[in-house]
Amino acid sequence: MADLSIPVPLPITALASSSSPSPLLVAASGPSLLIHTGSSTHNLASTSTAGVSHNAGDQLIPLVRHIAISPLGDYIATVSDDKLLRVYSVATGGAPTLLSSRPVSKKCSDLSFSLSSAGAEPDIVLSDKVGDVYLYPLTPRPVSGDRPAPLALNSDPTLNPDADLLLGHVSVLTAAVLSCDGNSIITSDRDEHIRVSRFPKSYIIERYLFGTDGFISALHVPEGSPSTLISAGGEQWMRIWNWETGEALGKVDIYPAVLPHRRARSNLRRVKRKRNAAQAEAEAGGEPGSSGQAEAPESDLAAGSFYAAPEGYALPSGQGVCIKKIRTVNVGEQTLVLFFSEGAAAIHSFALPLDPTSPPPTISTLPLDFPLLDFTILPSTSSSNTQVVISLDSTWGILKQNPPAGSQSSAFVPPSITSECQAKMATVLVIAEISAEGLTLVPEHPVLTSFQSEYASAPASEVSKLQLYPLLPLLPRWAGMEEDDELAGPSTEPVDGGKGKKGQGKGKGKGKQKVYTREELEGMSNKMLGRLKSQGVDVEEWFKRRQRRPKGGAGVKKRKVGAEALGDAGEGEQEVEGEDEDIEAQMNQA
């Protein structure tokens, strides 16, 4: 068996860059930061205690997961697996220094800085996976007395003494971006919601962007087009919006480019009940395309179907796609969109359409040897060429593989680790040149040489246990295995047939929608009907019927309270007279 005590470079789990006022590139190598300022590279070791487990005994190294750089390039913020928010000062011409370190109550899902006026310190915008967004001051607040217990913070996020609560979602919050003028914040979650709120008065919701058919995991607002929003997640479409008006400008089919390059996927779950097995087969890929998902390529299916679970086990719904990052860069007169999917070994690009009615853009793909972990635009004072720094999971296929049935770990022990394998595992960063035709790898670069001697390392046995693809099992739904399956609403797979009578969907797109029977609509909760309405299905008649239905006297309307949020359609009803009209009138006045 292979010797797993040999040192292996830790993967670069996060990247960030800035060109103002001087080039700055930051890379997270395990628990340490590598900061390249153009003239030198600094290695800032984390103050975390190595060897402390944060993932049920599997992972022993607290990785830095998120990096943000302030608009003026003078501060760096990071969040790592040990749930510590660290702030560094970047002095011009000097080595960066650690300013503060404070705990966060939950795992971070996004991190950024707010804009600041002249002479004022920027604030830190941190969103967590539970669904809350906080505003942390750059300088930590003094906390007097005892800190609230973790359980109290989980139940009431306003008790956080270190930050102000901006907003909350009732689902896993996946991304948060500020508008270019800093006056709005756009957030997304696992349940297909994109919300536009004011900033920092985020209790004022401007609008929702409706039309997404799956979870959203990445948002981006291009600097050159500040009213445009690009969103993507697990569905086959990358969508383009005017977030200021709520208008959907277009969509790009990304599945043909992404699916052939998937490498890592979620772990398998055992199906314990026959009902779960049938539902998992129908919704998670038992028949390709049966859940409104694109069919897997023939090459994938011929090779044993990358996203097909063995009998008795299930994978989450979808096709194993989770867009992790979207960025734009100007090349000539074009704005190129760069993106990648978690666990896929390719980075993709296309020209952002200027006209929504123009033909769909062509997606260019740069295949890579290993799955991507992150990328960022390489800062440069020269405008002659634009390059992107890409981090890779170079141990994939050598120390890690997709977990087999019955296992939760991707680590495995190879028969041997040759010198060729060690050379491959040392390639944790690559650089590619960006052009209007796509991306091409650059064989050598001074930045790669500068970082080469600074990578943190660990024994191969520890590196093989690192959890580098946390979103793949988290964001897609596990059909038949979740307590809130009913709240997800019925599936919207296309069906053949003519016009339906009751419950016929009036889709806004060109494709046909499912025809729901009278019994199906009658048994749905108001929340499920609301979801169908947002997807273009005509359910007004059913809402009116429920409002007219007498219970306890004429004119009394029924409203679900509490129990409906738990998926119970039979209990927790409260009778409220005329409340719907009052709420609607107040919203119109606001």
Side-chain angles (χ1 to χ4, degrees), residues 336-408:
L336 294 186
V337 180
L338 307 179
F339 69 95
F340 80 101
S341 176
E342 181 168 282
I347 184 171
H348 314 275
S349 65
F350 65 88
L352 183 66
L354 299 178
D355 183 0
T357 62
S358 60
T362 301
I363 298 179
S364 300
T365 298
L366 174 63
L368 297 161
D369 294 333
F370 302 102
L372 268 74
L373 298 177
D374 201 359
F375 75 86
T376 190
I377 306 302
L378 181 65
S380 174
T381 56
S382 172
S383 59
S384 59
N385 55 2
T386 305
Q387 297 173 326
V388 58
V389 185
I390 304 168
S391 63
L392 303 174
D393 178 13
S394 57
T395 61
W396 188 263
I398 302 175
L399 297 177
K400 288 182 286 187
Q401 63 182 1
N402 284 315
S407 174
Q408 301 295 314

Side-chain angles (χ1 to χ4, degrees), residues 143-149 161:
V143 179
S144 58
D146 296 334
R147 300 180 66 89

Side-chain angles (χ1 to χ4, degrees), residues 232-250:
E235 63 169 341
Q236 72 182 86
W237 306 106
M238 179 170 288
R239 299 180 184 271
I240 305 171
W241 315 80
N242 183 326
W243 64 265
E244 293 181 345
T245 64
E247 180 185 4
L249 301 179

